[in-house]
Amino acid sequence: MLDDPRRHVDPPGRGRIIRRPTVASPPGAMEPRPGAKQRNAAGMVVMAVATTGCFTGDDIQQPSPDAFYFPTALVASSGGTTLYVANSDFDLRFSGGSIFAMDLRALRGAVGPIAERIAEGDDVVAACAAAGLSVNPDPWLNPGPCDAFPGPPFVANSVFVGAFASALSLTHNPDGAGARLFAPVRGDPSVTYLDVEDDRGAAAADPASFRLDCQVDEAGFCDVRHRLGQDRDRTLRGVQLPSDPIGIAATADGGALVVAHQTEQAASLVVNDWSSVPELTFFVGGLPNGPTELAAIPEPGFVAGSEALTYQSGFTLTFRGASTLDLLRFVPDSGAVPPRPFVTRAQTFPLATNASAFDSRGIAIVDGPRRRCEATCSSAADPQPCLEQCAENVPLRLYMANRSPAQLLVGRMNTVINRDGAAASSVRDEVFFFDTIPLNFGPNRVRVGQVLDEQGTPVDRVFAMCFDSRSIFVIDPETERVETIVRTGRGPQDLAFDQGQGPDGEPFAFAYVAHFTDSYLGVIDLDQRRPNTYGAIFANVGAPQPPVESR
């Protein structure tokens, strides 16, 4: 039975005691980290409930303002000036985690010459020396030709948040300047948000502010007003955020975000009003076990031009404990006074591509073919029929990481337009999975990015990360074939893509991978014109630090 959006009931088992998420469930790992359960219990239990929601004690220190520590999420700014990094403080060594704003231009300028010199035929020693580095002493454990660049010089700004930040979502105001960064934080629990620089359209010479505005307190932590979901009196329905927020996704206009709660069988809704502050408004309960990752369904192009159509934005949701994929719908409920937005569990699609298909993790949607179809409609006298044909005839492509067995599920999402006469009246989506791609042990997240082909043209690729087996599969969505496998360090947890044109007009394409286990970033070359480094980590940022248990 679906939740009645007009009548809210808190899910069972949720209290105001801030709880530590299960140690056996790090962001991507299959098993608990060695020795994690034997940590000092007193240091884990004492909490600063009234301030940061983080763990404190005599042996707890302030987080480092410029050192990676169990990074879990990355996202690059739209204008290519800033790389945002979430550090989770997973072993609770510090009083919380952190969010960094890194100087992406400086980072790109430092690492780029290494790939260029190797492509030009320089040996590794010469390429590393030109960057001021020595040769990597342990390329098997931490792949890359050179030792690591120090991380602190590239960290332009940082703030502290609660422990166990699990993801990042960067949103932009479609009607003007403005950008916000949202982070589900499991240790509070909260959805922490920050106002950040909107660098869309930034020129190469424009300085970046590296803004991270969350009204930090004296200790450097984002204040309670920026930790959504902790105070039910600040919400329309009087709700609190369920515990264990882990996955997050936002609509294209950044007006609505849905968060998955891994241990509460729930998904919550944050409405982002660009004229004021975001607000937790609702959550839907009664979901299958282990809600994990979300992806926003790209809005069909014909929706904006249809006067009779009421379109509800959608999200796909995966589960660790169920062999299904759910489709959630955001309902603005703008006719109510005041508006009472909510989210519904609209459809459930069983996974029948193999005998199990349990323990699903990341999901990604490729809409490139549909967008290219829609681009051809601009020259039509009446683009609306053309846009509708693109929606009906060009399906979206779905890719979902599954751990039992280890594989990437390949599917399609068809857009079905219901009509009232000639006009579109409603839209529904039909999902089916028809193929699988075998992966290495421990798949976790799936991302969509672009690489440069041999002519320097950007082309779509799907990146499937395997946390346990230290690898990233690069898949061509046109052929559904594995193009290459990137060998990473321990615990690849997230990817951010850095693509554009340099000052000389030459295109570039890099990806940054967050290594959760050893707390550093790797840089992957995504330029097929450099076969010596394409699909490989060619630089590292931040000296790798093994976890305390293995030192």
Side-chain angles (χ1 to χ4, degrees):
M1 179 178 178
L2 302 183
D3 274 13
D4 181 353
R6 306 286 181 174
R7 180 172 57 85
H8 174 77
V9 178
D10 288 349
R14 193 187 71 217
R16 286 308 298 145
I17 296 176
I18 299 173
R19 300 184 300 177
R20 180 175 187 261
T22 306
V23 175
S25 178
M30 178 72 75
E31 298 294 339
R33 295 166 54 79
K37 292 183 179 180
Q38 284 74 40
R39 288 219 158 267
N40 186 320
M44 290 183 175
V45 174
V46 181
M47 308 173 187
V49 177
T51 54
T52 65
C54 307
F55 299 91
T56 62
D58 294 339
D59 59 341
I60 299 298
Q61 308 171 26
Q62 194 84 337
S64 170
D66 55 13
F68 305 114
Y69 203 67
F70 295 102
T72 53
L74 305 174
V75 63
S77 65
S78 298
T81 66
T82 309
L83 178 67
Y84 299 102
V85 183
N87 295 287
S88 67
D89 185 32
F90 185 73
D91 65 356
L92 300 178
R93 178 181 177 186
F94 303 108
S95 58
S98 60
I99 294 179
F100 291 169
M102 300 186 67
D103 187 340
L104 191 50
R105 291 168 174 165
L107 185 55
R108 184 188 311 130
V111 302
I114 297 178
E116 293 171 2
R117 283 182 172 270
I118 293 176
E120 291 170 358
D122 285 3
D123 61 25
V124 169
V125 175
C128 295
L133 303 173
S134 57
V135 175
N136 186 354
D138 196 352
W140 183 88
L141 184 62
N142 307 302
C146 313
D147 62 5
F149 288 93
F154 301 107
V155 179
N157 195 7
S158 64
V159 296
F160 301 147
V161 296
F164 311 119
S166 57
L168 290 173
S169 179
L170 181 63
T171 63
H172 296 88
N173 187 347
D175 300 321
R180 282 174 174 162
L181 189 68
F182 292 82
V185 180
R186 300 163 71 186
D188 283 328
S190 73
V191 177
T192 299
Y193 83 94
L194 307 91
D195 288 298
V196 298
E197 181 180 9
D198 185 354
D199 65 353
R200 291 174 293 179
D206 292 341
S209 70
F210 307 110
R211 179 188 180 198
L212 291 172
D213 186 2
C214 61
Q215 300 296 312
V216 296
D217 59 22
E218 294 181 357
F221 283 84
C222 293
D223 74 359
V224 67
R225 292 168 296 179
H226 287 77
R227 299 200 298 273
L228 307 176
Q230 292 187 327
D231 184 357
R232 65 171 67 242
D233 294 333
R234 296 174 59 208
T235 66
L236 179 64
R237 290 185 172 91
V239 299
Q240 284 177 280
L241 190 76
S243 63
D244 223 8
I246 184 166
I248 189 170
T251 55
D253 63 1
L257 300 97
V258 175
V259 181
H261 299 269
Q262 187 168 248
T263 60
E264 292 287 352
Q265 293 77 57
S268 59
L269 172 66
V270 172
V271 173
N272 181 25
D273 184 348
W274 289 101
S275 63
S276 58
V277 298
E279 181 183 11
L280 173 70
T281 63
F282 182 80
F283 67 81
V284 57
L287 301 178
N289 290 333
T292 302
E293 294 285 348
L294 293 136
I297 301 173
E299 182 178 292
F302 76 89
V303 169
S306 178
E307 297 180 357
L309 176 66
T310 299
Y311 180 77
Q312 296 177 349
S313 299
F315 299 82
T316 56
L317 175 61
T318 67
F319 299 93
R320 294 187 63 179
S323 182
T324 62
L325 175 73
D326 271 15
L327 193 154
L328 308 180
R329 291 288 185 189
F330 165 61
V331 183
D333 201 18
S334 54
V337 181
R340 296 168 59 86
F342 58 90
V343 64
T344 65
R345 186 185 181 195
Q347 294 169 272
T348 296
F349 301 98
L351 306 178
T353 52
N354 53 46
S356 175
F358 275 84
D359 200 358
S360 298
R361 301 295 178 100
I363 185 167
I365 301 175
V366 178
D367 66 342
R370 178 177 290 183
R371 296 304 178 212
R372 289 189 285 272
C373 176
E374 292 174 341
T376 65
C377 299
S378 59
S379 59
D382 182 7
Q384 193 67 10
C386 175
L387 293 171
E388 292 183 8
Q389 289 180 12
C390 290
E392 290 184 303
N393 298 331
V394 184
L396 301 173
R397 303 178 180 187
L398 273 66
Y399 299 88
M400 185 166 65
N402 187 263
R403 285 199 166 201
S404 182
Q407 59 188 7
L408 188 70
L409 275 60
V410 180
R412 296 291 184 267
M413 177 179 287
N414 293 325
T415 300
V416 181
I417 303 176
N418 301 316
R419 303 180 187 278
D420 183 5
S425 59
S426 63
V427 177
R428 74 177 190 275
D429 296 300
E430 295 179 346
V431 173
F432 64 97
F433 290 92
F434 61 89
D435 200 1
T436 61
I437 298 174
L439 299 176
N440 289 342
F441 188 65
N444 53 329
R445 281 179 170 160
V446 185
R447 295 287 184 253
V448 176
Q450 291 185 320
V451 306
L452 298 179
D453 65 14
E454 295 178 352
Q455 288 71 46
T457 302
V459 292
D460 293 336
R461 290 294 182 268
V462 177
F463 297 78
M465 286 165 274
C466 298
F467 184 98
D468 301 77
S469 52
R470 302 175 48 191
S471 55
I472 301 174
F473 284 62
V474 183
I475 297 152
D476 183 347
E478 294 297 327
T479 62
E480 313 289 8
R481 292 181 178 273
V482 176
E483 182 176 80
T484 189
I485 301 175
V486 182
R487 186 170 66 88
T488 72
R490 296 193 294 177
Q493 177 60 25
D494 202 6
L495 276 176
F497 301 97
D498 181 24
Q499 296 153 344
Q501 287 188 334
D504 56 358
E506 272 295 303
F508 62 84
F510 302 127
Y512 299 89
V513 54
H515 288 106
F516 175 84
T517 305
D518 292 319
S519 301
Y520 71 102
L521 305 185
V523 190
I524 304 171
D525 192 5
L526 299 182
D527 191 340
Q528 293 183 353
R529 298 174 299 176
R530 297 195 287 248
N532 290 341
T533 55
Y534 174 71
I537 291 178
F538 69 92
N540 292 308
V541 183
Q545 297 291 326
V548 173
E549 296 91 335
S550 60
R551 291 177 187 171

